[in-house]
């Protein structure tokens, strides 16, 4: 027992959350994690929104304006995937992380370490998904519901569809 | 208090002025904004349903928002410092359960009636098989043995803004579907490669075209007219470039059209017998290439890197006539390259192959051999 008390004294300087980046990487605090989700969602909202701007700019006048049809289809597909899985869902999760423990009077989320990891999967998933845009045959172009048959047909020419499957499969873990 | 009153009062006058100023013009433009009434009994039923449900929604919106805004206005903390303490109110709860239930039933009854008549798949007087392809529609008149393909006929230069756009930009095709007025026309809708959807708003038909399934839709058009539609299921690169044009005509005009179609098919078959020169074939092949192949292989045969191979400088096109015929006749399994054996008559098949072998410098780089209609006939015979 006394050893514990001793330790407690030694640790005095290290109380409170870690500072700087470490705080956000290691945090198990539901409010910090909620904030991470909300900022992530905001970033995705901007990226997905920029894609929507490309779509609208293309449609601003009839005729081919600024992008080719293949790239246009990639934009509508990624815009849908990003807004739903990167924008709306993480925003809800962020709010829930913030509010639910306070509303039910719990000190934190259950399994706080997993709560942290659940968030940090997201940036990896979306980096992978967006990286397909820089590959030779471009990003997914079969609509955000990945229409069957069209999706399979495009898959024959693209190495990466397995990538976005992986990204989407990761999603539910949040 | 007076402030609010005068505000509401000025809103009222402003609203009335704006409403009357707009109403004449608005009514004229309403038709453009609103769902179309279409050209058939069913499409008018669908329109009426749409309006019925729209006005029900408006009424509900007015009631709900009135209660909400009134409460926000009448029960502020200032006016009502002590909050009410009651819990539950069985009468109100019963009312807000039963009333929406009744409203839903009231909407479901007429809607189901219309749906039932839409999903009547008994044979029509005219039965047309509609097949979606990447990216054109195929129509087969089952009784009359008429079969054709409707490709977008808008000029590529219009699409790429090199010339002004025509009136029916992206809404025009080279072969129009003709149907008789006053007769039941049944469409049997399916697809050949990916999912498409056959949509003609004037008939209130929007039916998915799914490979391996046959969906049906039907219509009876009362008056002659021209109706336009498009594919409404994302089906790849040229999804926006496979429109539908249907023309309803009187019965005798329809019969004449069927006869013309049948004799045109015979005339095309006769062209196979003719002796063709390379120049004639290239001339005939150019327009065929533009309608059938440009979408994937590009206007100058350059293709799309990684997806559609270039035909300019392709080893097959340069030196392997036999393999090229085989690709065009059979398609490439599992790839976007479909078989053209059905779509192109023998003479057209020969012409488009010869065109690719003689264009973009291919004649100089390769063996330059041409393909004549007899080669295609021979290929077909060897296959049997
Ligand atoms: Cu289509």
């Amino acid at each position: 027992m006394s050893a514990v008390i001793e330790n407690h004294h030694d640790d005095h300087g290290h109380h409170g959350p870690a500072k700087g980046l470490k705080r956000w990487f290691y945090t198990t605090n539901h409010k910090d994690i909620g904030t991470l989700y909300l900022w992530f969602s905001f970033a995705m909202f901007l990226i997905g929104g920029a894609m929507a701007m490309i779509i609208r700019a293309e449609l601003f006048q009839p005729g081919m304006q600024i992008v080719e049809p293949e790239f246009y289809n990639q934009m509508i597909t990624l815009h849908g995937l990003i807004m739903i899985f990167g924008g709306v869902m993480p925003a809800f999760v962020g709010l829930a992380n913030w509010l639910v423990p306070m509303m039910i009077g719990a000190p934190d989320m259950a399994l706080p370490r997993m709560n942290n990891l659940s968030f940090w999967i997201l940036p990896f998933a979306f980096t992978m998904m967006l990286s397909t845009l820089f590959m030779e045959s471009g990003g997914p172009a079969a609509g955000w519901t990945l229409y069957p048959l069209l999706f399979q047909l495009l898959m024959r020419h693209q190495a990466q569809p397995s990538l976005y499957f992986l990204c989407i499969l990761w999603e539910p873990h949040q | 208090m007076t402030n609010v009153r005068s505000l509401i009062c000025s809103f009222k006058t402003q609203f009335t002025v704006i409403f009357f100023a707009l109403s004449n013009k608005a009514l004229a433009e309403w038709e453009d904004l609103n769902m179309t009434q279409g050209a058939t009994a069913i499409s008018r039923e669908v329109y009426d349903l749409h309006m019925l449900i729209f006005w029900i929604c408006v009424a509900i919106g007015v009631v709900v928002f009135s209660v909400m805004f009134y409460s926000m206005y009448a029960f502020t903390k200032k006016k009502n410092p002590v909050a009410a303490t009651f819990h539950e109110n069985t009468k109100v709860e019963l009312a807000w359960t039963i009333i929406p239930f009744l409203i839903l039933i009231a909407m479901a009854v007429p809607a189901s009636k219309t749906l039932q008549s839409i999903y009547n798949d008994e044979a029509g007087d005219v039965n047309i098989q509609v097949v979606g392809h990447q990216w054109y529609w195929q129509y087969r008149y089952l009784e009359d043995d008429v079969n054709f393909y409707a490709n977008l006929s808008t000029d590529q230069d219009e699409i790429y803004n090199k010339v002004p756009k025509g009136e029916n930009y992206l809404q025009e095709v080279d072969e129009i579907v003709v149907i008789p007025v006053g007769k039941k026309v049944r469409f049997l809708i399916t697809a050949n490669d990916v999912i498409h959807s056959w949509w003609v708003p004037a008939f209130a038909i929007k039916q998915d075209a799914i490979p391996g399934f046959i969906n049906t839709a039907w219509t009876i058009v009362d008056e002659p007219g021209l109706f336009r539609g498009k594919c409404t299921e994302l089906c790849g690169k040229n999804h926006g470039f496979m429109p539908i044009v249907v023309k309803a005509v009187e019965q005798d005009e329809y019969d004449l059209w069927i006869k013309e179609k049948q004799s045109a098919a015979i005339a095309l078959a006769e062209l196979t017998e003719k002796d063709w020169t390379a120049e004639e074939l290239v001339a005939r092949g150019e327009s065929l290439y533009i309608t059938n192949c440009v979408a994937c292989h590009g206007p100058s045969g350059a293709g799309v890197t990684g997806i559609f191979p270039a035909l300019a400088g392709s080893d097959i096109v340069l030196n392997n006539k036999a393999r090229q015929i085989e690709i065009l006749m059979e398609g490439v399994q599992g790839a976007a390259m479909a078989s053209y054996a059905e779509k192109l008559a023998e003479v057209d098949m020969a012409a488009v192959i010869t065109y690719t072998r003689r264009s973009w410098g291919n004649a100089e780089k390769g063996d330059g051999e041409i393909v004549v209609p007899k080669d295609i006939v021979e290929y077909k015979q060897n296959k049997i």
Side-chain angles (χ1 to χ4, degrees):
Chain A
M1 269 296 126
S2 67
V4 172
I5 292 163
E6 287 291 290
N7 266 344
H8 184 83
H9 275 278
D10 285 350
D11 278 354
H12 235 299
H14 301 287
H15 264 291
K19 292 281 177 289
L21 272 184
K22 264 193 183 169
R23 163 173 172 201
W24 298 104
F25 275 123
Y26 296 148
T27 181
T28 51
N29 178 326
H30 72 97
K31 290 181 186 172
D32 280 357
I33 294 172
T35 304
L36 283 171
Y37 271 115
L38 289 174
W39 277 114
F40 176 82
S41 152
F42 183 61
M44 284 298 140
F45 172 78
L46 293 184
I47 295 175
M51 291 174 174
M53 291 300 146
I54 293 175
I55 296 170
R56 294 322 308 183
E58 174 60 43
L59 296 179
F60 190 68
Q61 281 186 342
M64 297 292 168
Q65 298 301 332
I66 51 176
V67 298
E68 288 293 317
E70 294 94 339
F71 189 72
Y72 178 87
N73 286 352
Q74 292 170 26
M75 285 296 102
I76 55 167
T77 304
L78 282 172
H79 166 76
L81 288 171
I82 286 174
M83 284 304 204
I84 291 188
F85 295 105
V88 172
M89 282 167 51
F92 284 164
V93 177
L95 288 174
N97 248 289
W98 255 95
L99 297 175
V100 171
M102 299 195 299
M103 286 161 74
I104 64 176
D108 203 325
M109 294 279 282
L111 308 178
R113 184 70 65 194
M114 194 176 81
N115 197 16
N116 167 290
L117 288 174
S118 303
F119 170 78
W120 280 108
I121 268 175
L122 278 181
F124 288 107
F126 279 87
T127 307
M128 276 169 69
M129 183 143 86
L130 287 169
S131 72
T132 59
L133 274 180
F134 301 96
M135 296 180 186
E136 192 193 11
S137 49
W144 77 268
T145 52
L146 307 178
Y147 285 163
L149 297 174
L150 177 59
F151 183 68
Q152 277 85 331
L153 203 68
L154 293 174
M155 194 143 98
R156 243 182 76 90
H157 304 283
Q158 297 178 322
Q160 79 277 27
S162 48
L163 267 187
Y164 23 95
F165 265 137
L166 206 61
C167 307
I168 300 303
L169 283 177
W170 272 0
E171 285 300 323
H173 289 278
Q174 53 175 261
Chain B
M1 212 46 230
T2 43
N3 268 346
V4 173
R5 278 239 177 91
S6 62
L7 204 71
I8 288 176
C9 224
S10 85
F11 265 147
K12 245 191 202 162
T13 36
Q14 272 175 18
F15 185 75
T16 327
V17 169
I18 291 172
F19 185 78
F20 279 105
L22 280 181
S23 56
N24 278 335
K25 201 163 166 273
L27 276 179
E29 279 167 14
W30 181 241
E31 287 285 294
D32 291 343
L33 285 177
N34 199 4
M35 184 177 177
T36 174
Q37 301 207 26
T40 69
I42 288 281
S43 72
R44 280 186 291 272
E45 263 182 54
V46 172
Y47 173 83
D48 289 342
L49 274 174
H50 168 258
M51 291 317 289
L52 171 76
I53 291 168
F54 172 76
W55 287 118
I56 291 176
C57 291
V58 169
I60 292 173
V62 168
V63 171
V64 169
F65 284 110
S66 307
V67 172
M68 196 173 111
F69 286 120
Y70 172 74
S71 312
M72 283 160 75
Y73 163 74
F75 303 107
T76 55
K77 201 169 179 187
K78 215 183 207 167
K79 287 183 208 151
N80 207 48
V82 186
T85 54
F86 67 84
H87 262 260
E88 292 153 32
N89 183 324
T90 313
K91 276 183 205 147
V92 171
E93 281 172 27
L94 276 177
W96 77 41
T97 309
I98 291 169
I99 293 174
F101 180 73
L102 292 179
I103 295 175
L104 284 177
I105 296 283
M107 294 197 293
V109 169
S112 310
K113 244 190 223 152
T114 305
L115 273 180
Q116 239 175 352
S117 39
I118 288 175
Y119 284 102
N120 167 355
D121 62 358
E122 282 162 28
D125 302 316
V126 175
N127 296 281
I128 306 175
Q129 188 187 31
V130 180
V131 187
H133 296 259
Q134 273 180 326
W135 292 279
Y136 52 87
W137 294 98
Q138 175 188 7
Y139 300 94
R140 281 183 55 210
Y141 287 62
L142 298 182
E143 288 83 16
D144 297 305
D145 208 26
V146 167
N147 178 40
F148 60 86
Y149 300 82
N151 298 289
L152 176 75
S153 61
T154 301
D155 194 351
Q156 290 287 314
D157 284 349
E158 282 180 43
I159 296 173
Y160 282 90
N161 312 313
K162 288 183 192 135
V163 298
K165 293 175 178 46
E167 190 190 346
N168 295 311
Y169 174 70
L170 296 188
Q171 303 224 67
E172 50 200 347
V173 293
D174 54 0
E175 296 259 24
I176 292 174
V177 189
V178 176
I179 57 171
V181 294
K183 290 284 169 67
K184 178 173 172 181
V185 180
R186 181 176 60 155
F187 301 100
L188 299 123
I189 301 168
T190 184
N192 185 50
D193 32 44
V194 302
I195 303 175
H196 302 265
S197 185
W198 200 75
W199 180 40
V200 181
F203 303 164
I205 293 180
K206 183 189 264 186
Q207 188 60 265
D208 272 8
I210 306 173
F213 291 80
I214 295 179
N215 288 326
T216 59
W218 65 274
T219 191
I220 299 175
V221 185
D222 333 313
E223 297 287 331
L226 198 63
F227 308 101
R228 297 175 197 276
K230 41 181 78 89
C231 175
T232 51
E233 184 94 2
L234 180 63
C235 57
K237 183 164 91 68
N238 285 3
H239 165 56
F241 304 91
M242 46 183 294
I244 297 157
V245 183
V246 182
K247 190 176 172 191
V249 299
E250 299 292 350
Q251 182 69 41
D252 39 350
E253 200 181 326
Y254 172 75
D255 293 336
L256 210 67
W257 178 81
I258 289 281
K259 288 240 168 60
E260 266 170 31
K261 277 277 158 202
Q262 285 166 341
S263 40
I266 294 168
L268 197 63
E270 276 166 7
L271 282 179
T272 309
E273 304 303 321
K274 183 174 161 332
D275 279 325
W276 289 84
T277 66
E279 287 68 37
E280 283 171 330
L281 284 171
V282 169
R284 190 181 177 90
E286 181 171 11
S287 64
L288 289 164
Y289 181 84
I290 290 170
T291 11
N292 293 294
C293 324
V294 158
C296 300
H297 295 294
S300 55
V304 176
T305 315
I307 301 179
F308 304 122
L311 299 187
S314 147
D315 208 37
I316 293 170
V317 179
L318 292 182
N319 301 313
N320 198 343
K321 189 168 115 176
R323 174 70 187 136
Q324 194 181 355
I325 294 176
E326 191 179 74
I327 288 180
L328 267 290
M329 292 298 288
E330 310 299 333
V332 178
Q333 261 291 311
M337 182 65 207
S339 160
Y340 282 83
E342 237 194 283
K343 191 180 180 193
L344 297 179
E346 282 131 11
V347 53
D348 291 340
M349 179 67 90
V352 80
I353 295 178
T354 302
Y355 174 76
T356 60
R357 297 178 75 80
R358 287 299 193 119
S359 305
W360 320 303
N362 279 357
E364 295 76 41
K365 274 183 256 161
D367 58 23
E369 276 184 47
I370 67 166
V371 173
V372 294
K374 297 228 172 62
D375 294 335
I376 309 296
V377 175
E378 210 169 282
Y379 177 89
K380 282 184 181 168
Q381 275 161 358
N382 285 343
K383 209 178 148 194
I384 304 163

